[in-house]
């Protein structure tokens, strides 16, 4: 049972345009979400997070939106740059005592074309 | 600051051999995580240590897998005997506290022939 789903395995956008990466979750107890970016042959790196008390968090070109009623979040990258080409993972920690345990989506491969 | 350091980066060995993966945490981090990434299952948590103590090993596949933290900055993940189905990328990650974003090493790509 996948509790965090990234239904698009890949996304291709033109440089300068907006990239929108989507993530759905099924566990209503999730109250915090993270996005990680992963380049080939490297480990995932933390990008941005959002708490369920907010519906938006912005950091430079990266904005994450959370829609709790739809159990959906999205990562917007504006403007997209070729260096943003990577696999993006959505993740959520368990609530309560096992909040160390992250459930990851399968990832979306973003390709930004020059 | 040095990040999480994993070694080796690549390991190719024959089934039945013992495999040892190594991880050096970021200084000052007290939480250590071992993950396995496969195409089928994505990133899965194998084991979590806090202050050198194993807290959750529910993700360890079977008794062939074992992990240790002999000190606050170093951990090993051992597979004995190894099997072809153990082939995957193994990541180590650390965090300052358990509920803070985890910092990942670059992984060990393991191939068991």
């Amino acid at each position: 049972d996948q509790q965090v789903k990234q239904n698009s395995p890949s996304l291709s956008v033109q440089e300068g345009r907006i990239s929108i990466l989507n993530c759905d979750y099924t566990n209503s107890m999730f109250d915090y979400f993270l996005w990680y970016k992963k380049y080939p042959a490297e480990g995932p790196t933390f990008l941005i997070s959002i708490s369920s008390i907010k519906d938006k968090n912005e950091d430079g070109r990266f904005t994450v939106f959370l829609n709790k009623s739809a159990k959906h979040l999205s990562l917007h990258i504006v403007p997209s740059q070729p260096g943003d080409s990577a696999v993006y993972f959505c993740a959520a920690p368990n609530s309560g005592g096992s909040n160390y345990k992250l459930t990851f989506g399968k990832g979306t491969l973003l390709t930004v074309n020059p | 600051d040095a990040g999480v350091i994993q070694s080796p980066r690549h390991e190719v060995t024959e089934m039945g051999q013992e495999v040892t993966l190594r991880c050096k945490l970021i200084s000052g981090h007290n939480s250590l995580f071992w993950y396995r990434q496969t195409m089928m299952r994505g990133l899965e948590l194998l084991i979590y240590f806090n202050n050198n103590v194993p807290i959750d090993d529910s993700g360890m596949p079977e008794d062939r897998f074992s992990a240790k933290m002999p000190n606050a900055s170093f951990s090993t993940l051992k597979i004995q005997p190894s099997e072809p189905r153990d082939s995957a990328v193994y990541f180590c990650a650390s965090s300052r506290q358990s509920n803070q974003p985890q910092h990942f090493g670059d992984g060990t790509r393991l191939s068991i022939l």
Side-chain angles (χ1 to χ4, degrees):
Chain A
D1 176 32
Q2 264 189 285
Q3 296 190 66
V4 176
K5 298 179 186 178
Q6 294 177 257
N7 291 320
S8 298
S10 62
L11 174 68
S12 183
V13 300
Q14 283 299 119
E15 181 178 5
R17 307 293 280 267
I18 185 171
S19 295
I20 300 176
L21 298 131
N22 293 304
C23 178
D24 297 296
Y25 61 96
T26 58
N27 188 340
S28 57
M29 298 296 289
F30 287 153
D31 58 8
Y32 184 67
F33 302 89
L34 307 94
W35 284 93
Y36 281 82
K37 178 169 77 171
K38 184 185 180 302
Y39 293 119
E42 294 185 11
T45 56
F46 169 69
L47 188 58
I48 192 169
S49 63
I50 188 165
S51 165
S52 61
I53 62 172
K54 293 185 173 183
D55 54 19
K56 177 182 173 182
N57 188 25
E58 192 171 351
D59 182 1
R61 296 184 299 111
F62 302 90
T63 303
V64 57
F65 294 92
L66 175 62
N67 182 334
K68 292 185 287 294
S69 61
K71 294 194 181 69
H72 176 83
L73 60 154
S74 59
L75 175 68
H76 293 214
I77 307 173
V78 184
S80 302
Q81 300 173 354
D84 297 328
S85 297
V87 177
Y88 289 80
F89 293 96
C90 171
N94 287 2
S95 57
S98 61
N99 60 2
Y100 55 84
K101 194 160 191 172
L102 289 177
T103 300
F104 284 87
K106 293 280 185 74
T108 297
L109 173 63
L110 173 66
T111 304
V112 180
N113 301 302
Chain B
D1 281 346
V4 174
I5 299 171
Q6 290 187 246
S7 64
R9 292 297 315 275
H10 303 274
E11 174 90 16
V12 181
T13 192
E14 292 185 348
M15 67 178 290
Q17 298 296 308
E18 177 179 293
V19 172
T20 300
L21 311 182
R22 295 174 175 81
C23 174
K24 185 175 186 301
L25 284 71
I26 294 172
S27 176
H29 285 196
N30 72 359
S31 296
L32 182 280
F33 308 83
W34 281 102
Y35 287 88
R36 179 170 67 178
Q37 184 184 31
T38 59
M39 289 291 291
M40 287 295 292
R41 300 174 69 91
L43 267 165
E44 299 176 286
L45 178 66
L46 298 177
I47 188 167
Y48 158 60
F49 288 85
N50 185 267
N51 290 321
N52 308 356
V53 176
I55 303 298
D56 183 350
D57 65 355
S58 60
M60 295 285 263
E62 46 197 276
D63 291 346
R64 297 184 298 106
F65 285 68
S66 62
K68 293 183 180 178
M69 260 195 96
N71 58 57
S73 61
F74 184 72
S75 177
T76 59
L77 177 68
K78 190 172 290 188
I79 309 172
Q80 165 67 10
S82 56
E83 296 182 3
R85 61 191 166 124
D86 302 331
S87 298
V89 181
Y90 291 81
F91 288 102
C92 172
S94 71
S95 62
R96 195 168 293 278
Q97 293 186 28
S98 63
N99 61 351
Q100 294 190 349
Q102 297 171 21
H103 299 256
F104 284 75
D106 287 338
T108 295
R109 181 171 293 277
L110 178 64
S111 297
I112 308 297
L113 306 176

